[in-house]
Amino acid sequence: PLMVQRFLAPDEVFERCLAGLAAADIARAMATSAQWRRAGGKADVWLSAVLRGTRKGAYATSITVAGIAHWLERELGGEIESNRGHLIRLQSTRELRHLLRYLSEFHNGVEVEPANARRALSWYIRSAVNVTATVEILNFWPHSSWVLLRALPPLADDECDDRWGEDGVGLVGSTVHIRCWDSAILPQGRLGKGMCYILDAGARGELFHLAGLSRMEIGAHRISGHALNGCLRLECTMGRWPCGCVELPLPPCSRDAFLHTTMGDSALDVADGEGLNAALDIADAASWL
């Protein structure tokens, strides 16, 4: 050849190439050269991957648009157990790729491990089952969060309209009661009683309230629902606890506590409500399907 020209494409070209790809494809591209790494470091590149969601074993997790906005603006640092190094590192950055990696490799906020399942004593619903499982809820946000857990579809379909979506989770009109346990085990060296609270809304699910960057673990928890084709599907949604919400008198669970069981006679009813007049806004929530 008489002449050879070489030119370096601008970073914007590489960013447009990565936009819309899955997280694994973006990671592979970033491993090839420094320019791909620079392009993959931009938040816009990971936006569609985070919205598309990620999977960790049986858990599929997605973050809403408003949830991403909160993530990019949240406070860093905070009080975290020293043995949760992955969460400490997560709270040192606002990059979406680090959030996606945390959800797909370490913890997605709510993890349920079934121990046993039995057919429910309900002669008119043959698919009804009661599952005993361990439940770990981790609030990886620096603010107080609510977590709503339910089986899908619920046992009483006629009592539970499906209001899970961008507009909100409806609890208006629900008959609820708050169950309380004062026997949770606290981390070594922490004084006081370990408390666990659950707002039971029946077919509409169970609501937990966790302080920022804290977790709650339950050794044995009962979940009731329909078993379809031998499987019980669970849905969980997490969102920011509304400031000054007097309609939901649910205290936060003790930080980093472990409760052996929520079954049997250990529950203490501390409040009952008829026709709860409250709705949870999940515009800034993360949803687990």
Side-chain angles (χ1 to χ4, degrees):
L2 298 179
M3 183 176 64
V4 176
Q5 285 186 327
R6 293 186 176 91
F7 68 94
L8 191 63
D11 288 348
E12 291 78 7
V13 175
F14 289 81
E15 293 172 23
R16 286 197 295 269
C17 293
L18 294 178
L21 295 181
D25 296 329
I26 298 175
R28 280 193 291 268
M30 292 176 63
T32 59
S33 70
Q35 195 161 18
W36 282 113
R37 283 194 294 274
R38 287 198 303 271
K42 301 298 180 63
D44 292 343
V45 169
W46 291 90
L47 184 60
S48 59
V50 174
L51 289 174
R52 188 183 297 114
T54 184
R55 179 171 290 275
K56 178 179 181 288
Y59 306 98
T61 308
S62 62
I63 310 292
T64 64
V65 174
I68 293 175
H70 277 294
W71 178 262
L72 296 175
E73 299 172 356
R74 79 193 195 286
E75 296 181 1
L76 299 181
E79 180 185 350
I80 308 174
E81 284 184 288
S82 59
N83 61 348
R84 304 193 77 87
H86 296 303
L87 184 58
I88 294 174
R89 288 191 291 274
L90 183 67
Q91 271 301 102
S92 65
T93 175
R94 294 189 176 93
E95 293 193 33
L96 291 175
R97 60 192 178 101
H98 295 153
L99 170 62
L100 199 62
R101 183 186 179 192
Y102 184 84
L103 295 176
S104 61
E105 297 183 10
F106 302 114
H107 207 293
N108 66 348
V110 178
E111 296 192 352
V112 179
E113 292 293 334
N116 60 71
R118 295 183 179 181
R119 189 182 300 275
L121 299 177
S122 179
W123 61 268
Y124 57 92
I125 305 179
R126 296 179 59 86
S127 62
V129 295
N130 292 324
V131 176
T132 302
T134 61
V135 178
E136 184 181 23
I137 303 174
L138 172 64
N139 180 16
F140 52 82
W141 298 87
H143 52 68
S144 293
S145 298
W146 53 263
V147 177
L148 188 61
L149 175 68
R150 75 169 182 179
L152 184 72
L155 281 177
D157 292 316
D158 56 338
E159 298 177 5
C160 181
D161 53 354
D162 190 1
R163 304 191 207 175
W164 296 61
E166 293 286 340
D167 295 332
V169 173
L171 293 179
V172 176
S174 299
T175 300
V176 304
H177 67 277
I178 298 176
R179 293 188 292 158
C180 168
W181 293 263
D182 60 1
S183 55
I185 300 175
L186 296 176
Q188 187 174 6
R190 189 172 299 177
L191 302 177
K193 283 189 174 181
M195 307 296 296
C196 176
Y197 303 91
I198 300 177
L199 187 146
D200 190 346
R204 289 181 175 170
E206 296 173 316
L207 187 71
F208 298 83
H209 179 191
L210 270 72
L213 304 173
S214 68
R215 66 181 176 89
M216 180 70 204
E217 188 174 356
I218 302 173
H221 184 64
R222 178 173 294 169
I223 303 171
S224 300
H226 286 295
L228 303 178
N229 299 322
C231 295
L232 176 66
R233 182 183 177 190
L234 299 179
E235 258 189 345
C236 179
T237 298
M238 176 184 288
R240 185 167 189 166
W241 186 265
C243 297
C245 183
V246 296
E247 294 86 356
L248 286 174
L250 183 65
C253 298
S254 296
R255 296 183 61 90
D256 310 319
F258 172 80
L259 182 65
H260 283 288
T261 180
T262 58
M263 301 184 295
D265 299 327
S266 58
L268 307 171
D269 285 331
V270 296
D272 289 284
E274 280 288 340
L276 183 69
N277 294 316
L280 297 175
D281 179 13
I282 66 166
D284 60 345
S287 301
W288 286 265
L289 304 177

